[in-house]
Amino acid sequence: MRSLLTAVLVLAVLPGAPADRAGLEWTVVAPDGAVTARVGLDQGRLSFGIDGVLPAAPIGIRTAAADLSAGLVLQNRSARTVRERYTMTSGKRLDRDTTLRESTFSFTGTGGARLDLVVRVSAEGAAYRYVLPGDGPVTVTGETSSFAIPADAPAWLLPYSPNYEESWSQTTAGAAPAGNYGFPALFRIGGTYAMLAESDVDGRYAGGRLTHAGDGTYTIDLADPAVSADGPLSTPWRVAVVGDLATVTGSTLTDDLAPASKIKDTSWVRPGAVAWSWLSEHASPADPVRQRQYVDFAARHRWPYVLIDEGWNASWVPETVRYARARGVDILLWLHWTALDTPEERATVLPRLKSWGVAGLKIDFMDSDGQDRFRWYDEILPATAALQLMVNFHGATTPRGMQRTWPHVLTQEAVRGAEQFRTRAATNTIFPFTRNVTGGMDYTPVTWAVTDRDTTDAHEVALSVVYESGWQHLADRFENYETHPEALRTLDQIPVVWDDTRLLSGEPGRSAVLARRAGDRWWVAGISAAPAGSTAAGLGFLPAGRWLAETLRDGDHGLVRESRIVRRGDTLTVPLAANGGFVTALCPYTGAATCDRPVVPVPSTILTVDPPAAEGSTVDVTATFTLPAGGPITDVRLAPAAGGTPVTAARLRGGESLTGTWRLSVPAGAIGDVDLPIVAIYRWQGETVHVERAVRVFVPPPAPAGDAWVSDLPFLSETNGYGPVERDRSNGEQSAGDGNPLTLRGTVHPKGLGTHAPAEVTVWLGAACTSFTALTGVDDEVTSPGSVTFEVLGDGRPLAATGVLRSADPAYPLTADVTGVRRLTLRVTDGGDGKNFDHADWAAARLTCAGK
């Protein structure tokens, strides 16, 4: 990613003006003169406005040491021109080039406290931030930043919640109920629109929201009562995008104001379409067979990703990743943010997922704009970037320029999307002018499984163009897509990143028609919340020549496809059903009957390893990689993942193979089942395909001796329904070590395992033990009834079980004869009524073994 900033600096030192002098004003004018910001100082108090749009309104900041909203005296003003040129990995426009005029106003306040006000203005709007220049710690207790909106100005507002998933409302600035509203907020003031937003928020500060007192004045309220940081402190930008709706929707101002990319090489960041099963079938992420079916579907249609949401299990994910990658599909995994909220978890979990071959993460439920949560973003972002793991933040804050600074963030939720199972056309037509302006929006579109909707099929398909997201999670069952072949054909062609974006027509709450370009193809798509009629889109943006226009729209009996030849300056007229939509692909006309490009799956290959399994610390492995038919494939490389001399072929044709032999060793200190992968990598149609097969080597740990507590033994494997298995503590919550003393019906047990159904723990006995005993039951820490069953297995054979135990039941003594057992597995299931509150204790879990 490239970034260039050029600046011309002009410094004007002004004498101190007395605090009681009234009427001082300065302007900062955009390079093209389209926007003029006005800064005022009256009786020592600052104001900010934009000529012709936003009247002057009070601004300022308070710290624990000084009130910098009053008693201010100007010391000097400096000015410069800032040019920002940079490239994004996703978004409405990949290549960005903007010029801003900047002025810095330096003030002193009571007691000599210092404040800089930095104002930037571009053709798209204006922004300001506060800079507290001093060194040392500083605590901000609040801002007096505000925007004065005419009371009768139409407004599109989002009642504030920390996950930004409330329903948008259309009102007026003055009639909006008193309370908090989330960014961005849109107002129409006369014939001009103003969208208020934030940019450049990180752990030095907290996120803000707009607070309306009921009079049309909107002030900035911070998520925390106070924020503390080391100086000098630069606050986030307070942003106003102003202009017509085309200016607002096309604006990149929140990105332009954000820090430059912190990642030099972004070649590994890969946007794309994602098949996602959770919305249409919540239980499917726990089913590896079903997930492989989604992989097969994605492979057939060349969708690059499958997202496995909540419910996945470490016991089968690595092999599912291998299965997917061999078919040209990468796996994304869901995680609750608390699984990554400590340095220890990040240092353990992230490398493990990377070693499995996972391409990216959906991290969920942050649900806070507080400074502590932004400090967590500051930690997770470089940690994931270092491992080349892409990210989608769900249950998250709204975009504030993060995708520029950390371009591996491909999308954020912060929207009441299709997963709420209630879709309304009127709301859908608000998002292009508000939430989606500021960054990628993970709405999860095109969902016929959402039956509570008033949108047409063409409206649903059009969302995948109208809504911008670097990962476009197409959220229905793949069988539903296959029963809509015309829709699926279009979805297979639609890009997710764009070289250009233009609003052609629309109005929030009524309609939106956008044109987006990817390479030499344009896509025009529209959604409506109006009665049946038609829409007309001017094609003046097209280059000269003839263009094939293929339109997918609602017909009398389902989706229909129509084609025509058009030229620059023609008008594209499309009939619309009530609450309907359309998608038109435009490509240079060459005589072909369609704009579609071939969708060719990755060729089927075979990788075998011999032996597939072994025991010990070293193993001699022979691997053969075969292309049975088709091809050719090029730049073929076969080698162990951990290193070794590769065997290579410049080209393999159908029926040809590549074979290599290596002596592999398990990592020092490893115990249990260790996978030693062999990897074949090749190039096909410009893409790199990764095929992997692992030799599973078992390294036995020392067998237990004498009387041994299970919680003191190393785990060969573990899975748990919520968080990790806990040793000598109850399950607690999501994080490791957050449990309580193991307690069953009031009795505390110092030793044992705390689990959450469904769970399994396997330990090595090595045929050295004769008996296992434990007290089992639902831990007292749960506040609602849970139900579980406990099972003991030896080398996969059932040895003992409890039947269903409930929260009120006494502790159940469980014993098993483990004579001759090499692997002991302790399993917990959910009792048949779901896993909620199923905190299952293996209290006093003990083994009697030979020796001492």
Side-chain angles (χ1 to χ4, degrees), residues 270-529:
R270 185 186 177 203
V274 186
W276 178 48
S277 66
W278 178 89
L279 184 144
S280 57
E281 40 182 332
H282 282 3
S284 63
D287 183 352
V289 174
R290 185 62 172 156
Q291 292 307 306
R292 288 192 179 201
Q293 292 173 346
Y294 274 86
V295 168
D296 291 340
F297 167 79
R300 288 195 299 272
H301 294 273
R302 298 300 292 129
W303 295 10
Y305 298 105
V306 167
L307 167 62
I308 306 179
D309 213 286
E310 181 183 17
W312 59 266
N313 193 295
S315 64
W316 53 261
V317 164
E319 191 57 39
T320 302
V321 173
R322 295 185 186 114
Y323 180 88
R325 296 181 81 186
R327 288 153 179 80
V329 177
D330 278 315
I331 295 296
L332 314 176
L333 282 186
W334 177 94
L335 284 175
H336 196 287
W337 81 277
T338 55
L340 299 167
D341 65 342
T342 67
E344 295 77 16
E345 287 171 335
R346 292 188 288 275
T348 301
V349 175
L350 294 177
R352 181 190 308 135
L353 300 181
K354 182 66 177 180
S355 73
W356 293 351
V358 171
L361 307 177
K362 173 184 176 180
I363 308 178
D364 210 345
F365 293 115
M366 284 71 71
D367 290 342
S368 173
D369 280 325
Q371 185 177 26
D372 283 347
R373 196 70 77 249
F374 275 99
R375 286 174 173 166
W376 175 82
Y377 285 115
D378 290 348
E379 294 163 347
I380 195 65
L381 287 163
T384 48
L387 291 170
Q388 296 190 350
L389 288 167
M390 294 170 282
V391 175
N392 166 19
F393 287 125
H394 248 235
T397 192
T398 195
R400 292 170 162 92
M402 183 185 291
Q403 288 181 266
R404 178 188 177 186
T405 308
W406 296 102
H408 67 305
V409 179
L410 286 175
T411 192
Q412 294 171 246
E413 186 184 23
V415 67
R416 191 174 184 84
E419 71 174 41
Q420 303 295 334
F421 280 91
R422 189 174 191 273
T423 302
R424 291 294 177 267
T427 303
N428 284 357
T429 56
I430 293 175
F431 295 142
F433 307 103
T434 53
R435 162 62 183 86
N436 211 188
V437 173
T438 57
M441 182 177 74
D442 194 16
Y443 178 90
T444 61
V446 199
T447 48
W448 290 285
V450 176
T451 56
D452 184 8
R453 64 182 175 95
D454 64 4
T455 59
T456 69
D457 286 356
H459 183 119
E460 290 295 313
V461 178
L463 295 178
S464 62
V465 177
V466 173
Y467 294 165
E468 181 273 312
S469 180
W471 278 339
Q472 194 71 277
H473 290 86
L474 301 167
D476 216 323
R477 293 164 58 97
F478 69 82
E479 293 91 346
N480 280 351
Y481 292 127
E482 291 174 332
T483 61
H484 293 77
E486 287 295 338
L488 182 55
R489 174 182 164 184
T490 298
L491 293 174
D492 287 348
Q493 298 293 320
I494 294 173
V496 301
V497 295
W498 307 100
D499 296 307
D500 197 1
T501 292
R502 305 184 188 195
L503 177 70
L504 302 185
S505 65
E507 178 183 347
R510 186 169 179 82
S511 67
V513 179
L514 286 93
R516 299 190 191 269
R517 181 178 64 84
D520 66 348
R521 290 194 296 178
W522 281 89
W523 295 83
V524 176
I527 56 175
S528 170

Side-chain angles (χ1 to χ4, degrees), residues 789-822:
T789 62
F790 294 81
E791 302 172 23
V792 181
L793 298 92
D795 298 325
R797 297 179 294 108
L799 301 179
T802 63
V804 177
L805 299 180
R806 304 185 187 279
S807 298
D809 292 338
Y812 186 99
L814 189 60
T815 64
D817 182 350
V818 296
T819 303
V821 170
R822 287 160 57 87

Side-chain angles (χ1 to χ4, degrees), residues 8-225:
V8 178
L9 179 65
V10 179
L11 180 65
V13 179
L14 304 178
D20 60 353
R21 180 177 174 183
L24 292 176
E25 282 192 342
W26 304 270
T27 60
V28 186
V29 183
D32 65 352
V35 179
T36 298
R38 191 170 297 272
V39 176
L41 183 66
D42 189 357
Q43 303 293 325
R45 296 181 181 274
L46 280 171
S47 64
F48 177 87
I50 298 177
D51 285 2
V53 187
L54 295 175
I59 61 173
I61 189 169
R62 299 184 300 271
T63 73
D67 181 356
L68 293 169
S69 66
L72 298 177
V73 177
L74 180 71
Q75 298 301 314
N76 60 60
R77 174 189 180 184
S78 62
R80 65 174 183 164
T81 296
V82 177
R83 186 176 183 188
E84 293 278 0
R85 290 190 291 182
Y86 58 96
T87 299
M88 299 283 286
T89 57
S90 63
K92 67 185 77 173
R93 189 178 303 110
L94 294 183
D95 291 320
R96 310 285 179 85
D97 187 347
T98 187
T99 303
L100 308 97
R101 291 274 171 78
E102 177 185 284
S103 283
T104 298
F105 302 87
S106 297
F107 301 93
T108 55
T110 304
R114 297 164 58 201
L115 170 68
D116 288 348
L117 176 70
V118 184
V119 178
R120 285 188 177 180
V121 183
S122 78
E124 297 177 354
Y128 65 88
R129 76 188 321 170
Y130 309 109
V131 177
L132 303 175
D135 295 328
V138 58
T139 298
V140 174
T141 57
E143 297 183 20
T144 57
S145 309
S146 63
F147 295 93
I149 311 295
D152 62 351
W156 293 266
L157 300 173
L158 176 68
Y160 178 78
S161 68
N163 59 17
Y164 297 83
E165 294 178 27
E166 296 300 313
S167 296
W168 283 77
S169 63
Q170 183 172 349
T171 179
T172 63
N180 294 327
Y181 295 90
F183 289 119
L186 182 67
F187 304 90
R188 188 176 73 231
I189 303 165
T192 302
Y193 289 82
M195 191 195 75
L196 307 182
E198 273 190 321
S199 180
D200 190 16
V201 185
D202 58 23
R204 297 168 298 169
Y205 215 69
R209 58 260 185 130
L210 293 167
T211 297
H212 182 222
D215 59 358
T217 297
Y218 290 77
T219 58
I220 301 292
D221 182 39
L222 301 182
D224 296 326

